[in-house]
Amino acid sequence: MSFKKDLVLLAKPYYWVNILMSISYIVAKRAPMICNFLWTYLFNQDQCELDGRETEILFFLLIVVMIRTRKTGSVTMINYLTSSFMYTKLANLGLWFYSDIRLGLIYGVLFILVALILPEPTYSGPENVTYFRLENGLEDEMDKDKRVNWLVTFYTVWNPACVNFAPIFAELSAEYNLPNLRFGKVDIGRFPNIGKKYHVSDSSLSRQLPSVILFRNGKEVARRPYADAKGKLVKFFFSADNVKAAFDLNNLYKECKENPIKGAKAVTAGEKKKN
């Protein structure tokens, strides 16, 4: 199902335009018709082969993309693509400038236009997520009724792993939400004190973003990623199946459904509460 969803998303202009821009230089170099037109016809140059420097840049790009996408926890085709677009386009920009400054300027203009005109598509499906927008919003909400279980994501808007996880968390909230099983999000980039309180670092080098914590009776009972006995952070890939397994959502949902809060009303799909 995930692969089918990825194929549907690839039809959106953002993805195929960025893919074309990411492979533009190597295609221009290896496609005889394009290469002959650009360098032989326009600039009277014979540059239809990759030289040593260009090969080094492409090889270095491959290593960087592999390392960065793994660090962001990318686990689907779309995640890998979105995590790598910036690196591949910057590498292409450098290659075009290296080949000819005029072509570099043209690519640079396209780079900026695409960024302005085609922003990355965001999740637009149903969700039942409470966005805490006050310093004490999470604490106040948990204090209202200790019987409510909360699964909360601590995130920042600029972190790629958090961006990739957002639609997954939204879909889980739509699937598992109950009056006594709620889903929330806290932007610790906006509220760093909350991050400190729950021991989630908002540093640009942080490996704790996103962090998902399950609260029961107002207390933390599980989190991902977590630190082992030696204090070393255990890596966690934020796929839907992994989150379900890590927090035992199926059994938790069953338990909450069998023990409802009397008089409580379910939150309708798409409702967002600001606290």
Side-chain angles (χ1 to χ4, degrees):
M1 288 299 293
S2 178
F3 183 71
K4 290 181 179 179
K5 288 181 180 179
D6 285 352
L7 290 179
V8 172
L9 285 173
L10 283 177
K12 294 186 177 183
Y14 169 84
Y15 294 103
W16 57 262
V17 169
N18 277 280
I19 290 173
L20 289 175
M21 292 191 68
S22 298
I23 63 174
S24 61
Y25 190 80
I26 193 168
V27 169
K29 277 283 189 174
R30 303 307 298 172
M33 291 183 62
I34 299 176
C35 186
N36 288 333
F37 175 77
L38 284 177
W39 283 282
T40 306
Y41 180 74
L42 292 181
F43 304 126
N44 295 317
Q45 300 175 13
D46 185 14
Q47 296 187 22
C48 289
E49 294 292 337
L50 295 171
D51 63 23
R53 178 60 61 83
E54 292 168 332
T55 303
E56 289 176 1
I57 293 174
L58 290 172
F59 184 71
F60 180 71
L61 169 65
L62 177 63
I63 295 174
V64 169
V65 169
M66 290 177 64
I67 293 175
R68 294 304 301 173
T69 51
R70 295 305 294 176
K71 283 187 175 181
T72 58
S74 303
V75 292
T76 68
M77 177 174 62
I78 290 296
N79 292 157
Y80 275 114
L81 287 175
T82 53
S83 298
S84 64
F85 279 152
M86 181 57 67
Y87 304 110
T88 55
K89 289 191 293 184
L90 285 174
N92 273 267
L93 180 63
L95 287 167
W96 283 113
F97 269 110
Y98 172 75
S99 178
D100 190 282
I101 190 171
R102 292 164 291 185
L103 294 175
L105 289 172
I106 294 173
Y107 187 88
V109 171
L110 289 175
F111 189 114
I112 295 172
L113 287 176
V114 168
L116 294 175
I117 298 173
L118 290 176
E120 182 178 350
T122 57
Y123 176 77
S124 58
E127 67 172 26
N128 285 309
V129 178
T130 298
Y131 291 82
F132 296 103
R133 308 190 193 280
L134 297 176
E135 189 82 26
N136 298 318
L138 175 58
E139 285 185 1
D140 292 343
E141 193 65 28
M142 288 193 295
D143 287 340
K144 286 181 182 179
D145 194 334
K146 298 290 187 181
R147 295 171 296 175
V148 178
N149 301 284
W150 282 94
L151 191 66
V152 183
T153 295
F154 296 80
Y155 73 104
T156 62
V157 296
W158 47 262
N159 183 274
C162 295
V163 174
N164 290 337
F165 181 59
I168 296 173
F169 191 72
E171 290 176 354
L172 289 173
S173 73
E175 181 179 356
Y176 288 95
N177 181 76
L178 289 170
N180 52 350
L181 177 54
R182 303 287 299 279
F183 292 74
K185 295 185 75 171
V186 180
D187 182 359
I188 61 171
R190 183 179 178 185
F191 300 111
N193 288 335
I194 298 179
K196 292 178 181 179
K197 178 176 181 178
Y198 292 101
H199 309 290
V200 180
S201 171
D202 64 343
S203 165
S204 59
L205 300 176
S206 174
R207 297 173 59 195
Q208 295 178 284
L209 294 173
S211 279
V212 180
I213 301 178
L214 175 63
F215 296 94
R216 304 198 68 177
N217 298 314
K219 297 181 180 180
E220 176 184 333
V221 295
R223 75 161 63 198
R224 294 294 185 278
Y226 67 93
D228 60 18
K230 296 181 179 179
K232 184 178 180 181
L233 204 65
V234 178
K235 197 169 187 178
F236 184 77
F237 290 107
F238 284 93
S239 67
D241 289 339
N242 285 349
V243 173
K244 290 178 184 180
F247 297 99
D248 198 15
L249 281 184
N250 289 326
N251 286 326
L252 180 59
Y253 178 84
K254 181 180 179 181
E255 176 189 332
C256 292
K257 196 158 183 89
E258 292 175 349
N259 300 279
I261 299 176
K262 293 182 179 180
K265 294 182 179 180
V267 182
T268 58
E271 180 180 344
K272 296 180 181 180
K273 183 178 180 181
K274 298 181 180 180
N275 291 289

